[in-house]
Amino acid sequence: ELPDDSLRLQIESQLELLRAELIDSVARRALLIARTKGAAKTSDWPRFNETLVELERQPKANYFQTLLDAVKAAMLKKAQAKKDKGLEKKIDKLCGDSAQLIARHLSDEKIKEQRDELLELKKADDEANANEGRQEVGGAKKVTPAPAKPPAQ
């Protein structure tokens, strides 16, 4: 007779679903970052801001960690009820691997770096626009006047 492997299969399937959602979220985040960069390149700032807001709405690490913790707690409870120490260790390992994926792709630090990079594009454009029409003269900035319009006849 084969041992009952249903709990292990159940945890693996639940973690696969969680990983699939994580992969989808990371891909969606990458797409939104690319759209935001594209909007910055074309100076489409309303689209840039709109996409940046959508990017901020994406699930973050704590969302996935909460889901993972719930799956882990439910499965550990079942494993403990069966007094299966081997399965408890397997659950810990599988959940640990998933937690590493979450941290690698959605850490607060990584998300902050991505956001800062995008905001730097906007800042660079703002500075370029502020400096437009100016030139360096003897170490001081001089505003170049607009060309004079011919008198109306």
Side-chain angles (χ1 to χ4, degrees):
E1 188 175 308
L2 294 173
D4 183 12
D5 218 15
S6 62
L7 279 179
R8 182 188 59 79
L9 294 172
Q10 190 177 5
I11 183 76
E12 287 178 354
S13 68
Q14 287 185 4
L15 290 177
E16 256 334 289
L17 289 172
L18 180 75
R19 287 184 197 129
E21 189 176 344
L22 174 66
I23 289 167
D24 183 54
S25 180
V26 170
R28 201 172 326 117
R29 182 173 288 285
L31 176 67
L32 289 169
I33 288 169
R35 283 183 184 168
T36 307
K37 286 179 178 179
K41 283 182 182 177
T42 60
S43 297
D44 185 351
W45 301 115
R47 192 172 115 220
F48 175 92
N49 291 329
E50 185 178 297
T51 310
L52 194 62
V53 167
E54 190 174 341
L55 184 61
E56 289 294 319
R57 283 192 217 131
Q58 297 305 304
K60 300 197 177 36
N62 59 351
Y63 166 79
F64 287 100
Q65 191 60 53
T66 300
L67 292 177
L68 178 62
D69 290 345
V71 167
K72 182 178 179 180
M75 291 298 123
L76 280 175
K77 187 175 180 180
K78 289 180 181 182
Q80 289 165 351
K82 285 189 159 198
K83 297 180 176 30
D84 189 339
K85 296 288 183 192
L87 183 57
E88 287 180 46
K89 288 180 184 177
K90 181 78 169 172
I91 290 169
D92 282 336
K93 184 193 179 322
L94 291 171
C95 290
D97 293 346
S98 295
Q100 286 178 348
L101 278 175
I102 292 167
R104 183 179 318 134
H105 295 290
L106 293 177
S107 71
D108 291 341
E109 188 175 297
K110 183 171 181 128
I111 290 174
K112 183 183 180 320
E113 286 173 13
Q114 292 169 336
R115 188 175 197 291
D116 289 349
E117 180 186 339
L118 293 171
L119 292 175
E120 195 62 38
L121 295 173
K122 175 93 169 97
K123 182 180 174 185
D125 186 74
D126 289 346
E127 288 173 358
N129 286 337
N131 291 330
E132 196 172 277
R134 294 180 182 186
Q135 61 187 20
E136 295 285 333
V137 178
K141 290 188 177 182
K142 177 182 171 188
V143 176
T144 306
K149 294 181 182 177
Q153 295 182 3

